[in-house]
Structure formats: C-alpha cells, structure tokens
C-alpha cells in the first residue's frame, strides 16, 4: 500500500484521485442545487468542479511524466472510506438545501486542506512537501469561496429533512 508521503509518484497518484473525485462530486452537488433552482450555488459548484477537473488534468500529465502508478481506489491510503475531498454519499440527500450543500462542500474542502497540509509536513521528498503546500493553499482558496457563499445563504429550518411530499411515495 502506497502512502502519499512515500514518493513523488505516490503523491501524484493520490492527489489525482482526490481531484477527480472532487470534480465528480461537485457535478452531483450542482445537480442537487438545480433541483432547488438555486442558480447561484449551482454555478459555484460547477465552477469549483471545473477547477478540480483542471487540476486533475494537469496532475495527470505530471503523474505520467514521473511514471506514477494508476492505483485502484482500494489501493489508496485514505483516512476514511473515501478521498478527503469527496462528499460522503449519505450526505447527498435529495432534500439538501443550498446551505447544506455548501456545508458539505466546506467540509470537503477543509478535509482536502488538512490532507495536503499533513503531506506537506510529513513527506520525506522536498518536492512533495512543496507541491503539497501549493495544493493546500489552492484548496484553502476554495474554502474561502464556499465560506463566502455560505454567509449569503440563510440557515435552513431545523426540520429540513421532514419530507411532506416525497417524489416516490411507497405504493
Ligand atoms: Zn477544492
């Protein structure tokens, strides 16, 4: 099992997986916001998804240039069951308000910052430490975008999950 702190190639492999999953999850979050007709938050999630996808594309080139392995998801060394920047699936509630969507996005971005900061502190290779610090700073920027958007959204009602009109009522 390779750890992101092991080598430049291992770092690239992990970072690539993080950014790819983040891009996919932002596409899902943006779709969820469309359900609420919240164009502002949907647009923010699409923008963040594009940033993560661009990151992934450039990482892919760099990873190939150092011969980084393409690891299967189960080979990655994550703290949790999913990569640091991916929203846990059980949080993808169809009743999720923009506020809750932003909270999920914020948690994801903060986990990404923590992940890259950890690697920046503990990697033996100074190139990995420098790259990880760069990524941590970029993810910190994403945290800023999400926090700004959160401050514009109202707190949801406490009973947001109380579903009075389910889309697929049991027969
Ligand atoms: Zn991010």
């Amino acid at each position: 099992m390779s750890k992101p702190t092991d080598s430049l190639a291992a770092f690239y492999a992990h970072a690539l997986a993080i950014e790819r999953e983040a891009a996919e999850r932002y596409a899902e979050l943006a779709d969820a916001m469309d359900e609420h007709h919240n164009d502002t938050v949907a647009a923010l999630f699409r923008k963040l998804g594009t940033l993560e996808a661009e990151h992934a594309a450039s990482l892919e080139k760099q990873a190939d240039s150092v011969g980084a392995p393409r690891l299967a998801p189960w080979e990655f060394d994550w703290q949790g069951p999913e990569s640091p920047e991916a929203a846990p699936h059980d949080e993808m509630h169809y009743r999720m308000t923009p506020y809750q969507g932003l909270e999920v996005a914020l948690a994801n971005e903060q986990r990404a910052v923590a992940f890259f900061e950890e690697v920046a502190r503990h990697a033996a290779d100074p190139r990995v430490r420098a790259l990880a610090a760069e990524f941590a700073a970029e993810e910190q920027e994403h945290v800023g975008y999400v926090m700004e958007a959160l401050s514009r959204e109202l707190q949801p009602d406490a009973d947001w999950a109380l579903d009075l009109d389910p889309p697929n009522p049991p027969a």
Side-chain angles (χ1 to χ4, degrees):
M1 164 111 39
S2 92
K3 286 205 198 77
T5 47
D6 284 350
S7 67
L8 189 59
F11 172 73
Y12 278 135
H14 284 80
L16 182 54
I18 289 170
E19 301 296 337
R20 275 203 187 124
E21 285 197 34
E24 277 170 33
R25 213 49 66 81
Y26 270 124
E28 291 171 23
L29 278 170
D31 289 347
M33 294 306 105
D34 285 342
E35 300 287 314
H36 286 270
H37 308 287
N38 190 316
D39 296 342
T40 312
V41 179
L44 172 67
F45 288 157
R46 294 222 156 81
K47 175 181 135 183
L48 285 167
T50 302
L51 288 174
E52 313 287 10
E54 284 170 4
H55 233 161
S58 91
L59 270 167
E60 197 163 10
K61 280 192 207 120
Q62 296 169 66
D64 284 345
S65 74
V66 299
R70 290 298 159 82
L71 301 180
W74 57 87
E75 292 180 276
F76 290 106
D77 185 31
W78 306 128
Q79 297 295 316
E82 294 195 78
S83 73
E85 212 172 351
H89 268 115
D90 57 8
E91 290 176 40
M92 302 292 289
H93 196 289
Y94 72 96
R95 294 271 294 174
M96 180 184 279
T97 64
Y99 189 90
Q100 279 128 14
L102 286 163
E103 280 185 320
V104 170
L106 181 62
N108 293 341
E109 297 292 353
Q110 285 172 335
R111 272 198 298 268
V113 171
F115 174 81
F116 285 120
E117 281 181 346
E118 181 82 0
V119 175
R121 269 196 298 273
H122 298 293
D125 187 331
R127 290 172 302 175
V128 174
R129 292 202 298 271
L131 275 168
E134 208 179 285
F135 276 79
E138 284 178 41
E139 298 302 345
Q140 191 62 56
E141 250 175 67
H142 300 175
V143 168
Y145 298 146
V146 175
M147 283 182 75
E148 192 191 88
L150 258 178
S151 72
R152 286 189 301 252
E153 289 295 326
L154 294 171
Q155 287 276 355
D157 295 338
D159 60 347
W160 67 275
L162 183 66
D163 194 345
L164 301 173
D165 183 24
N168 297 301

